[in-house]
Amino acid sequence: LGIASDYWKSGDFYSDYPGVAKTGFGPAGRFGIGFLSVFMIGDRVEVRTQRRGGEALALMLYGVGRRGALRTDGDGPRSGTMVRVRIKKSEPWDCKDLTAMVRAKAPMLTLPVSVSEKGSTTRVEPAWWRDLSQDELHRFVLDQPGSAKYAAGASEQHDPLDWFGRRQLRENMEPFSVWLNEAPELVDGSKRILALPWANRIVLCSSGLAVEYWDDEGLVGLAEIGPVELNVARSTLVGWDAKTFGASIRQGLRPGILHALDALEGEGRVPDRFEFLLTVGVAYGDDVLTETNLPWMTLIEPPGSARLLSPAELRSRLANHNELLVGYSTGPWTAARECFRYFPDSPRGTLLLPVSKADGPSIHTDYTRKETISSHLNEHFADEELAGAALLTATLRVIAEAWDVTFDDLRTAEWRRRADDDTICGYLMH
């Protein structure tokens, strides 16, 4: 019971549990002071405990620095431990839903938790999050920081959704800015992650307890990451490999994302989806846009007919052509005019690919200058923002595959625009 003494690393522990070294057991505690946190909200603590086959004990504590009492307890649990904390009268405690707080603080526990308050008992079952709808799961993840501290609905002034400004649940969004059906998801016994390209937050749990929030574009949900090292405040993971974790999640979601992209064809409104496709490409990599069967790439053939093709169809169509005009940030009916303005010597029968800017990165324009700028593609974008133009980069990757050249071969070709315009055109030859 000594403060700052760690039982788990003491000789008593290894004497009590002689086989523990072979199990790989690692205690969560490090400093022997964690139990003191109960006195932040309470002024009296009762601990009743009984080891299986041992005597029942009761420990009464009345605050830090005050003498407590330890005695045998015939009324204790048959096996296990029960802790009671009496809340301070001065504590501004307005917890209207203790069950919500338990779910928020310990969402991934593998044991059930019974919550009794005001004469009723609620049982929080393991893996309860599996039964939530996708919108309910998203709302829980957004609510979780506030619910863990104040409980859901504790007070209007503590509305966590207002704190984060993320009231972008599916029912409040534009129809063409969400998946056609349910979002792709990755779910097993240790995680449930949704692919929502316009959102980002995963509640990371260790041994069932929420320990940190990890924001990674396009991923929303819960994940149990096992025993980890935390800082002293138990607020930050130490040495956790976020890159490997994120890559594993994206790899697991990939088949579902491709299936959901393919399903958009049934909607019959692909051009209305360009902004959404851009968001998907930025969140999960533009390679998902090159592998989908969705016909989202526009090809204009002489004398001016425009067709939507899938990446595979475009690869096949380009295999027998060794030159191509590409116009970025221009529509299909103005692309030819723009491209031939910058490349007047290109053959009039050249195939043309207009690529929508959608909501991609803006090109820096200078309305005081009128000259034409010729440069590599990256140099038309500020601060390496080319990666944010996912529709353009995906288009170039498909062209590169069709011609058996590299992406850099096309990126470093000559691309032209006027200084006062954000339309970029390239004349690509194989």
Side-chain angles (χ1 to χ4, degrees), residues 81-346:
T81 300
M82 178 172 60
V83 180
R84 286 194 179 102
V85 181
R86 187 174 68 183
I87 305 302
K88 299 175 184 177
K89 292 182 179 180
S90 60
E91 184 71 22
W93 193 263
D94 186 17
C95 179
K96 294 183 180 178
D97 192 344
L98 189 57
T99 302
M101 182 175 285
V102 170
R103 287 195 178 101
K105 284 189 175 293
M108 304 291 283
L109 284 182
T110 57
L111 296 173
V113 179
S114 294
V115 181
S116 298
E117 52 182 334
K118 297 181 179 179
S120 63
T121 299
T122 302
R123 185 179 168 97
V124 180
E125 298 288 351
W128 53 268
W129 36 268
R130 280 175 173 263
D131 298 325
L132 298 179
S133 70
Q134 291 191 342
D135 287 341
E136 288 171 336
L137 178 66
H138 184 207
R139 184 180 291 278
F140 169 81
V141 171
L142 296 185
D143 274 345
Q144 195 273 343
S147 298
K149 188 173 182 179
Y150 300 103
S155 172
E156 291 183 1
Q157 65 180 346
H158 296 311
D159 185 344
L161 286 179
D162 287 340
W163 287 350
F164 291 99
R166 292 177 176 177
R167 286 194 176 276
Q168 292 181 310
L169 299 176
R170 175 172 176 154
E171 63 269 20
N172 295 326
M173 299 189 69
E174 294 295 327
F176 296 114
S177 63
V178 297
W179 296 105
L180 178 60
N181 301 306
E182 286 198 329
E185 69 174 58
L186 180 63
V187 58
D188 57 31
S190 65
K191 71 182 76 70
R192 186 181 177 191
I193 310 295
L194 308 181
L196 299 179
W198 37 268
N200 60 309
R201 168 148 291 185
I202 295 179
V203 179
L204 299 177
C205 301
S206 177
S207 301
L209 305 178
V211 292
E212 191 171 50
Y213 314 116
W214 183 56
D215 293 344
D216 195 3
E217 193 163 15
L219 304 178
V220 173
L222 300 162
E224 167 63 52
I225 58 175
V228 292
E229 184 178 356
L230 302 172
N231 65 351
V232 177
R234 298 294 193 267
S235 60
T236 303
L237 298 174
V238 178
W240 178 64
D241 190 350
K243 184 176 181 181
T244 299
F245 175 79
S248 173
I249 295 297
R250 280 177 162 71
Q251 188 63 31
L253 282 169
R254 189 180 187 84
I257 291 173
L258 289 173
H259 180 75
L261 284 173
D262 295 347
L264 295 178
E265 183 175 5
E267 192 175 37
R269 300 284 296 274
V270 174
D272 291 323
R273 284 288 186 172
F274 284 158
E275 186 173 334
F276 178 71
L277 294 177
L278 173 80
T279 310
V280 170
V282 171
Y284 312 112
D286 60 9
D287 52 337
V288 298
L289 299 180
T290 69
E291 295 181 22
T292 178
N293 295 318
L294 179 70
W296 68 269
M297 313 183 90
T298 305
L299 177 66
I300 299 180
E301 301 175 287
S305 59
R307 297 175 56 200
L308 285 175
L309 302 178
S310 70
E313 291 171 331
L314 182 61
R315 290 187 196 97
S316 177
R317 187 72 180 85
L318 296 181
N320 298 321
H321 292 263
N322 58 9
E323 55 188 354
L324 179 69
L325 284 166
V326 177
Y328 174 71
S329 190
T330 181
W333 312 124
T334 58
R337 181 189 66 199
E338 297 292 333
C339 288
F340 286 123
R341 180 175 70 170
Y342 292 117
F343 297 96
D345 296 331
S346 58

